[in-house]
Amino acid sequence: ALAGCGADTGTAVDASDASPITMGFSQVGAESEWRVANTRSVQEAAAAAGIELVFSDAQQDQDRQIEAIRSFIAKGVDVIAFSPVVETGWDPVLREARRAGIPVILTDRAIRTADPGLYRTFLGSDFLEEGNKAGTWLDDRHIRAEEPVSIVEIQGTVGSAPAIERQLAFAEAISSNPQLKIVASTSGDFTRAGGRAVMEDFLADLPDIDVLYAHNDDMGLGAIEAIEAAGKVPGRDIEIISVDGVREGLQALIDGKINYIVECNPLIGEQLMELAVKIVAGEQVLSRVVTKETVFERSAALAALPDRRY
Ligand code: GYE
């Protein structure tokens, strides 16, 4: 229910009146297949729950997100949800939301703040767990390596929670194996074009790359184009690990071009709407809700692909 659209003063308004909840949702952008699936999930779940969604796309720009949140506050939405493009810099606008009495839900990505009272809950994946799964798999695979294994990393958006945590936990997981060495690490901004461009540079600069760790499938798929253009065989000459598990990623795994994918689930719309309904009703919710996820090797990808919705 938007403020100002209600009844005239003097008209009795039933407090239990079923006017729909309005949610302002600020999305990061449309940088990856994961994101596109996430947007669809949020839009479909809102419609199914009878929640009015005011949707805004920030095109990977923090200032645009801040502007969107301000516009939601000005409209007087019932609840604000957003997926913060980067971790820091949100306190002032979230204080404005709090002053206006509008609850905030973080979805997909977390923020860094000294004031946890600026949002009600954070619904999303555990990116440290994802980085750890990627690194542990690689460590196991090269547990008896007698020669150095050169790893290149293509990071997600600089300053974003998934890029920071996927990098950190991966590095930690491989740190006990002295043969595993990250020789280069650059951001490809979570896009396919970014992944391709970064990989082209790596291939031009570094003669012997053994492993690529890409922070999402799109960048891994872009890198595969660069590897093939350089006359190398992805998945064989260069082992590839990525994160997400979108259809094209799983297909590349089935085709042997990617070796391992750590799943990150974008279909969190329904859980988001459930949380929003509870919060608007004044109920308590958990301050952290973690998404359930798995990992894929080839056989698991073959089994999962037919039913994959994104
Ligand atoms: O892995 C990537 C997307 O924040 C978990 O953002 C999300 C990440 C996802 O662009 O593909």
Side-chain angles (χ1 to χ4, degrees), residues 98-131:
R98 183 162 62 191
R99 272 199 297 276
I102 302 175
V104 171
I105 302 174
L106 302 180
T107 127
D108 158 38
R109 297 182 180 178
I111 61 168
R112 206 171 313 164
T113 175
D115 183 357
L118 288 176
Y119 59 91
R120 294 296 177 85
T121 183
F122 165 39
L123 163 68
S125 308
D126 182 340
F127 303 132
L128 288 170
E129 181 63 34
E130 293 170 355

Side-chain angles (χ1 to χ4, degrees), residues 1-3 20-28 42-43 46 51-58 64-84 94 97 102-107 272-273 276-277 280:
L2 287 178
I21 293 173
T22 301
M23 171 187 282
F25 184 88
S26 168
Q27 180 60 290
V28 167
V42 168
Q43 288 172 335
I51 290 178
E52 260 174 47
L53 194 68
V54 186
F55 183 88
S56 175
D57 176 341
R64 274 205 201 97
Q65 277 200 299
I66 291 173
E67 242 171 69
I69 294 168
R70 290 216 166 101
S71 80
F72 299 153
I73 297 170
K75 277 198 175 80
V77 299
D78 299 304
V79 56
I80 292 170
F82 80 114
S83 175
L94 294 186
I102 302 175
V104 171
I105 302 174
L106 302 180
T107 127
L272 174 61
M273 299 310 148
V277 168
V280 172

Side-chain angles (χ1 to χ4, degrees), residues 31-32 34-35 108-109 127 162 166 190 215-216 244 264:
E31 74 282 4
S32 64
W34 188 102
R35 187 66 54 198
D108 158 38
R109 297 182 180 178
F127 303 132
R166 286 174 188 166
F190 279 130
H215 285 189
N216 77 348
D244 278 353
C264 181

Side-chain angles (χ1 to χ4, degrees), residues 6 54 71 77 84 98 142 179 181 217 254-255 268-269 291 300:
V54 186
S71 80
V77 299
R98 183 162 62 191
H142 294 278
Q179 300 292 19
K181 291 198 170 70
D217 290 344
I254 290 168
D255 297 342
I268 54 181
T291 323

Side-chain angles (χ1 to χ4, degrees), residues 160-219:
S160 71
I164 292 168
E165 296 187 343
R166 286 174 188 166
Q167 175 177 42
L168 202 78
F170 177 83
E172 171 74 29
I174 63 168
S175 64
S176 59
N177 186 336
Q179 300 292 19
L180 295 179
K181 291 198 170 70
I182 299 169
V183 295
S185 181
T186 303
S187 172
D189 216 12
F190 279 130
T191 66
R192 189 188 274 237
R196 181 176 176 137
V198 170
M199 195 69 205
E200 279 167 359
D201 289 348
F202 285 165
L203 288 163
D205 295 348
L206 303 161
D208 298 309
I209 300 170
D210 300 309
V211 176
L212 162 66
Y213 169 42
H215 285 189
N216 77 348
D217 290 344
D218 291 75
M219 296 191 296

